[in-house]
């Protein structure tokens, strides 16, 4: 039960969760979250429509099934919120990070400050391994010092979880909260919020500055839903910064038609170019796999890497492919060299640390390890790169696992595919495009 | 294309040529094959013939033997085992309140209906009805006709310790007859429907109320056990 009004600042909650004393407070606003049309309902929390037969409750009541995992909103229970008052105590120093930015990072970081100052919407296109989090620090510092409420959101829980300790360390004196679906931490009012984009739906005109990290990371996500969440969670006049390593077509179109401003950071912090993608064809691999056969090209590659003791990740399209491929490999190579891992794998954490601590030479995995997780000095092979699970964005991210560290800034990125697809083509082109820009910077 | 109510993935209908040529309407599906496979149907050839739970071979389970010793003979049938998938379903349906999920098992419940039985759902409290917005059992029944013969007793604010033994046992009775429908159950064979059979206490309490108000016979049906 919410008794402290600060928990309602810029945040909307079912009235049943709020103490009566607050409900009668004049600064607390109420509204009915469901609008009933003739054959559908519209949910004002998530901005989505649902056909009536999917959302009716007895007694002429309705609920929204789209955002139900945030807790259910119904027509009969109002949502309540209080206006965001920016009631923060600012303790100096705001920025407790001691690091240095490269010249390229500094340039982008000046753009970011300008975007936050002038409350603009902007895209930062930075290659994998560019160090984009650090570039945000001066902008966030300025915003926090001015008493602004700042949010950082990502569609992916693992990105949020990885980001939180880094931000926490950089802004030790700032009140901060991490919110995502699997986190039982109780809510409190904080100047800096790190959350999943889904959790943004709980906010209402809260943020002066909202940063959306890895916008592209859910290619199947409904874009209207994301835009609604961003608009809803930010103040009517506010700054929105999108970060990506692989802009969607929609975004590149907007940049080209000057509807969206953009900054580029085409070069990694260590100033080496992105490893480019090599594409080789493996015809009828799926049919052959059913006959328990793997392409000679792949076997040869793996043999080579085992002999050279070169660590790598082998990406495959489907969870079902993991065991099949692993079983075939076990007939050719020493089975203790690798493990298979997928997203809902119970032993996922263990296996990832086996790889990190070099107990395994390679992992066979689905797209789950495409971002976030970094293993120094690895190569990658994508087998079945033509499969629809590999979007442009995930292919660029996979390629971006290679050459992240200064002590081995290069490496091999090999795609094995039945045929060339649009996603493969544009991932190859995006990397070439950024490398071209990077070469100019390197002179 | 429809998407699965449980995992949201869009469902591909596997339509054979035979089926296309038969001009039948596609059966409406709410859940994809992968999600449906997670539910474990009770194999009726090896169950406890009293509570309907899955056994290695048919017989009377230990819990039911205890009930029998107390003189309480009750026959219940269940359709699914209460495994992780069912636990998750119940959580989302009842506690999160995703009412559309009721449609997933309506067909299974419908298959168990018999003309000679009067259907009575286990009721929910007024408080639950307001918070949840629905009775989960009535949701599972879909458009099957039923009689709302039972009500949940209003909680009496008397401390248990203040009551004598007789009153205490009586106080455990959570249901009471709905005076509006009391005449409809007299001399009837009744099928009591609930979402889940856990200890069997709830459904037996309900059956006792129906019997003591004139029902001839009472059986149980629950979605899971
Ligand atoms: Zn909604
Ligand atoms: Zn499903
Ligand atoms: Zn039994």
């Amino acid at each position: 039960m919410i008794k402290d009004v600060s928990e309602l600042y810029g945040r909307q909650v079912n009235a049943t969760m709020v103490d009566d004393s607050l409900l009668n407070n004049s600064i607390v606003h109420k509204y009915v979250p469901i609008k009933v049309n003739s054959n559908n309902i519209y949910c004002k929390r998530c901005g989505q429509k649902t056909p009536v037969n999917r959302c009716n409750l007895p007694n002429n009541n309705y609920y929204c099934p789209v955002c139900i995992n945030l807790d259910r909103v119904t027509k009969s229970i109002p949502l309540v919120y209080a206006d965001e008052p920016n009631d923060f105590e600012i303790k100096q120093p705001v920025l407790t990070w001691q690091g240095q930015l490269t010249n390229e990072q500094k340039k982008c970081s000046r753009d970011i400050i300008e975007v936050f100052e002038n409350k603009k919407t902007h895209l930062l296109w930075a290659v994998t391994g560019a160090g984009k989090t650090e570039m945000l620090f001066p902008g966030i510092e300025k915003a926090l010092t001015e008493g602004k409420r700042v949010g950082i959101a990502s569609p992916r829980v693992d990105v949020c979880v990885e980001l939180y300790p880094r931000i926490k360390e950089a802004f030790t004196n700032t009140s901060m909260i991490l919110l995502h679906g699997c986190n039982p931490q109780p809510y409190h009012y904080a100047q800096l919020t790190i959350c999943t984009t889904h959790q943004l739906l709980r906010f209402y005109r809260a943020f002066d500055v909202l940063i959306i990290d890895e916008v592209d990371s859910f290619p199947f996500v409904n874009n209207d839903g994301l835009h609604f969440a961003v608009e809803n969670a930010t103040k009517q006049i506010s700054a929105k910064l999108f970060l990506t390593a692989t802009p969607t077509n929609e975004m590149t179109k907007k940049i080209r038609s000057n509807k969206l401003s953009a900054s580029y950071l085409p070069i990694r912090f260590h100033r080496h170019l992105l490893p480019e993608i090599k594409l080789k064809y493996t015809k009828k691999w799926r049919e052959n796999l059913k006959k328990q056969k793997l392409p000679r090209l792949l076997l040869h590659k793996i043999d080579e890497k085992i002999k050279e003791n070169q660590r790598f990740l082998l990406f495959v399209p489907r969870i079902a492919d993991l065991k099949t491929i692993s079983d075939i490999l076990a007939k050719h190579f020493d089975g203790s060299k690798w493990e298979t891992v997928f997203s809902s794998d119970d032993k996922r954490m263990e296996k990832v640390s086996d790889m990190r601590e070099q107990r395994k030479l390679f992992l066979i995995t689905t797209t789950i390890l495409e971002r976030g997780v970094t293993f120094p000095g690895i190569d990658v092979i994508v087998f079945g790169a033509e499969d629809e699970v590999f979007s442009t964005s995930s292919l660029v991210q996979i390629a971006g696992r290679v050459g992240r560290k200064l002590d081995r800034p290069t490496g091999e990125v090999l795609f094995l595919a039945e045929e060339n697809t649009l996603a493969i083509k544009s991932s190859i082109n995006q990397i070439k495009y950024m490398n071209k820009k990077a070469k100019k910077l390197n002179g | 294309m429809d998407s699965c109510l449980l995992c949201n993935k869009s469902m591909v209908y596997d339509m054979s040529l035979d089926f296309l040529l038969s001009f039948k309407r596609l059966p409406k599906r709410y859940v994809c094959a992968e999600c449906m496979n997670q539910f474990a149907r009770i194999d009726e050839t090896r169950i406890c013939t009293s509570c309907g739970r899955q056994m290695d071979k048919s017989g009377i389970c230990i819990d039911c033997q205890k009930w029998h010793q107390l003189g309480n003979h009750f026959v219940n049938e269940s359709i699914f085992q209460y495994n992780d998938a069912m636990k998750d379903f119940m959580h989302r349906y009842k506690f999160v309140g995703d009412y559309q999920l009721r449609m997933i098992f309506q067909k299974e419940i419908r298959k168990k209906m018999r003309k000679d039985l009067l259907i009575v759902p286990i009721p929910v409290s007024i408080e639950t009805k307001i918070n949840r917005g629905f009775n989960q059992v009535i949701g599972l029944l879909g458009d099957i006709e039923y009689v709302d013969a039972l009500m949940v007793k209003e909680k009496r604010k008397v401390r248990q310790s203040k009551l004598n033994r007789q009153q205490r046992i009586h106080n455990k009775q959570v249901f009471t007859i709905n005076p509006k429908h009391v005449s409809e159950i007299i001399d009837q064979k009744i099928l009591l429907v609930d979402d889940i059979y856990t200890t069997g206490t709830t459904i037996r309490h309900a059956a006792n109320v129906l019997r003591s108000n004139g029902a001839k016979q009472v059986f149980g049906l629950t979605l899971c056990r």
Side-chain angles (χ1 to χ4, degrees):
Chain A
M1 193 58 79
I2 294 175
K3 292 196 169 112
D4 183 344
V5 70
S6 74
E7 289 182 36
L8 295 178
Y9 291 162
R11 183 166 172 259
Q12 42 187 2
V13 174
N14 266 326
T16 47
M17 307 284 288
V18 177
D19 196 82
D20 280 346
S21 62
L22 283 184
L23 290 177
N24 300 324
N25 189 326
S26 63
I27 69 162
V28 174
H29 311 289
K30 302 182 189 69
Y31 74 95
V32 176
I34 305 276
K35 184 171 175 283
V36 184
N37 303 320
S38 52
N39 32 18
N40 62 35
I41 61 138
Y42 175 75
C43 170
K44 293 183 188 173
R45 177 166 72 172
C46 69
Q48 305 298 305
K49 286 180 180 160
T50 304
V52 166
N53 62 357
R54 281 294 178 88
C55 60
N56 57 334
L57 288 168
N59 302 321
N60 243 337
N61 198 0
Y62 295 89
Y63 74 105
C64 175
V66 181
C67 59
I68 194 164
N69 52 359
L70 287 175
D71 69 31
R72 194 177 69 175
V73 289
T74 60
K75 190 175 138 246
S76 62
I77 301 168
L79 281 180
V80 301
Y81 68 94
D83 294 331
E84 172 59 54
N86 290 67
D87 183 12
F88 306 115
E89 198 188 323
I90 292 132
K91 281 193 216 131
Q92 297 291 345
V94 172
L95 183 64
T96 46
W97 175 74
Q98 306 286 344
Q100 285 289 318
L101 297 177
T102 64
N103 284 337
E104 285 77 23
Q105 286 176 322
K106 271 188 199 146
K107 193 177 151 290
C108 284
S109 127
R110 280 195 295 273
D111 287 351
I112 292 168
I113 292 176
E114 202 260 331
V115 167
F116 290 177
E117 275 307 288
N118 299 310
K119 304 176 170 74
K120 293 203 282 198
T121 300
H122 187 81
L123 176 80
L124 172 62
W125 182 353
V127 292
T128 52
K132 60 180 152 57
T133 309
E134 290 76 12
M135 281 185 287
L136 299 170
F137 291 166
I140 295 177
E141 178 192 19
K142 190 144 193 292
L144 292 174
T145 310
E146 289 164 3
K148 289 175 176 168
R149 190 169 185 182
V150 177
I152 306 176
S154 167
R156 290 174 70 119
V157 177
D158 41 354
V159 172
C160 295
V161 170
E162 191 143 320
L163 214 50
Y164 181 71
R166 292 170 67 192
I167 302 289
K168 181 103 201 152
E169 214 185 314
F171 300 96
T172 328
N173 294 322
T174 304
S175 59
M176 208 175 293
I177 189 157
L178 171 68
L179 301 170
H180 58 78
C182 341
N183 185 5
Q185 190 185 356
Y187 179 80
H188 63 84
Y189 182 53
Q191 194 177 7
L192 218 164
T193 303
I194 296 172
C195 67
T196 52
T197 46
H198 194 59
Q199 293 287 326
L200 286 177
L201 295 173
R202 288 197 203 271
F203 291 92
Y204 186 65
R205 296 183 181 171
F207 299 107
D208 301 281
V209 169
L210 184 60
I211 300 158
I212 302 99
D213 198 3
E214 308 257 9
V215 253
D216 54 286
S217 64
F218 270 143
F220 308 112
V221 76
N222 163 344
N223 266 320
D224 296 339
L226 179 66
H227 285 292
F228 181 90
V230 170
E231 287 308 318
N232 209 44
T234 48
K235 287 190 183 160
Q236 279 162 304
I237 301 169
S238 55
K240 288 145 216 145
L241 175 69
F242 295 90
L243 304 178
T244 183
T246 46
T248 56
N249 284 338
E250 194 195 331
M251 284 182 170
T252 29
K253 254 183 231 158
K254 277 191 184 162
I255 297 170
R256 260 187 250 126
S257 58
N258 290 325
K259 282 187 189 132
L260 180 66
S261 63
S263 312
Y264 301 85
L265 185 60
I267 197 156
R268 289 180 154 178
F269 77 94
H270 56 42
R271 307 196 65 89
H272 291 267
L273 299 188
L274 297 167
E276 292 198 1
I277 297 164
K278 271 194 297 182
L279 174 64
K280 294 256 166 79
Y281 296 104
T282 44
K283 292 287 174 199
K284 297 192 176 162
W285 69 267
R286 195 45 82 202
E287 277 171 47
N288 286 322
L289 190 66
K290 280 183 192 144
K291 297 178 208 153
Q292 305 297 308
K293 273 195 261 175
L294 284 172
R296 198 172 303 153
L297 195 60
L298 178 64
L299 290 173
H300 177 74
K301 253 306 156 207
I302 292 174
D303 184 45
E304 191 180 289
K305 295 207 188 291
I306 290 177
K307 279 183 184 143
E308 290 168 4
N309 212 18
Q310 171 58 50
R311 295 148 49 68
F312 66 102
L313 296 172
L314 173 60
F315 288 88
V316 299
R318 310 275 158 177
I319 293 175
D321 298 330
L322 293 170
K323 194 179 170 335
T324 321
I325 292 170
S326 177
D327 287 351
I328 304 171
L329 288 180
K331 289 180 201 158
H332 296 266
F333 309 106
D334 170 9
S336 69
K337 298 266 182 210
W338 68 87
E339 263 173 316
T340 64
V341 55
F342 56 98
S343 55
S344 50
D345 198 328
D346 296 336
K347 297 199 177 121
R348 176 179 166 176
M349 295 293 188
E350 275 170 69
K351 290 173 174 177
V352 167
S353 75
D354 278 349
M355 179 70 190
R356 187 163 283 151
E357 281 150 37
Q358 315 217 352
R359 283 189 291 270
K360 296 287 161 186
L361 188 72
F362 67 101
L363 292 177
I364 312 176
T365 179
T366 52
T367 51
I368 55 145
L369 295 182
E370 76 191 35
R371 62 187 88 211
V373 189
T374 313
F375 305 106
I378 57 158
D379 287 348
V380 299
I381 304 173
V382 182
F383 181 43
E386 78 289 347
D387 195 287
E388 60 184 19
V389 300
F390 295 115
S391 62
T392 304
S393 144
S394 61
L395 291 172
V396 171
Q397 285 291 344
I398 287 170
R401 297 302 92 201
V402 177
R404 306 268 295 216
K405 294 271 156 24
L406 186 56
D407 50 9
R408 187 177 180 256
T410 55
E412 183 175 34
V413 180
L414 176 64
F415 287 6
L416 300 177
E418 178 71 44
E419 60 191 350
N420 204 344
T421 61
L422 201 61
I424 296 175
K425 271 180 220 159
S426 49
S427 63
I428 293 174
N429 288 339
Q430 278 199 10
I431 288 174
K432 282 194 174 144
Y433 176 71
M434 289 310 250
N435 276 346
K436 210 154 85 193
K437 281 186 174 262
K439 271 182 206 156
K440 272 187 205 151
L441 285 178
N442 274 342
Chain B
M1 202 185 309
D2 291 331
S3 53
C4 171
L5 287 185
L6 293 177
C7 71
N8 245 336
K9 285 188 195 131
S10 54
M11 294 189 283
V12 193
Y13 284 95
D14 184 20
M15 278 182 288
S16 64
L17 190 60
D18 282 352
F19 187 87
L20 286 175
L21 292 174
S22 70
F23 298 105
K24 276 186 207 145
R25 270 220 334 232
L26 262 176
K28 177 100 180 131
R29 282 198 337 196
Y30 297 104
V31 173
C32 74
E34 209 175 310
C35 288
M36 203 62 210
N37 277 336
Q38 305 295 311
F39 296 103
R41 197 177 287 274
I42 289 176
D43 172 5
E44 289 169 36
T45 62
R46 29 184 202 99
I47 51 168
C48 167
T49 51
S50 185
C51 69
R53 72 147 51 124
Q54 190 73 74
M55 305 253 280
D56 292 336
K57 55 176 200 264
S58 283
I60 307 279
C61 76
I62 298 170
D63 293 334
C64 288
Q65 285 171 20
K66 285 182 193 154
W67 282 114
H68 290 186
Q69 278 162 19
L70 295 170
N72 192 322
H73 295 264
F74 183 74
V75 176
N76 179 69
E77 186 184 357
S78 297
I79 306 170
F80 290 95
Q81 294 175 38
Y82 188 57
N83 63 0
D84 286 349
M86 191 53 87
K87 218 176 270 180
D88 187 50
F89 167 82
M90 285 294 177
H91 175 79
R92 289 171 62 180
Y93 176 46
K94 275 162 74 171
F95 299 110
V96 180
D98 202 352
Y99 191 52
Q100 60 172 336
L101 302 187
R102 72 193 186 282
M103 298 187 282
I104 296 172
F105 294 116
Q106 281 176 349
K107 215 171 112 197
E108 300 290 343
I109 299 281
R110 173 167 283 281
K111 278 191 215 154
K112 297 289 178 191
M113 294 298 124
R114 277 167 34 194
K115 279 247 155 59
D116 60 325
L117 294 174
L118 189 73
I119 308 301
V120 175
I122 296 284
V124 295
S125 69
I126 291 167
E127 204 189 345
T128 304
K129 190 103 183 241
I130 289 169
N131 290 337
R132 192 173 290 169
F134 59 89
N135 172 333
Q136 71 274 9
V137 183
I138 294 174
L140 292 174
L141 287 174
D143 49 16
I144 297 166
E145 271 186 50
Y146 62 87
V147 176
D148 225 347
L150 295 167
M151 299 190 305
V152 173
K153 269 196 190 170
E154 289 307 302
K155 264 192 204 131
R156 272 189 296 165
K157 296 250 160 84
V158 188
R159 269 207 252 124
Q160 286 272 333
S161 55
K162 293 247 169 82
L163 306 171
N164 66 30
R165 192 186 131 76
Q166 206 51 42
Q167 284 170 318
R168 235 182 275 171
I169 288 169
H170 186 73
N171 200 43
K172 274 187 192 154
Q173 177 55 269
V174 285
F175 301 114
T176 167
I177 201 77
N178 183 346
K180 273 190 257 171
H181 298 290
V182 64
S183 62
E184 291 165 57
I185 62 164
I186 291 169
D187 275 342
Q188 294 293 318
K189 274 192 193 172
I190 290 174
L191 185 63
L192 251 176
V193 184
D194 204 355
D195 49 355
I196 180 166
Y197 181 114
T198 316
T199 61
T201 314
T202 311
I203 205 162
R204 280 181 171 80
H205 273 316
N208 288 344
V209 174
L210 294 173
R211 280 199 215 96
S212 60
N213 280 280
K216 193 160 75 183
Q217 250 182 325
V218 185
F219 305 99
L221 171 69
T222 65
L223 178 65
C224 58
R225 165 74 171 100

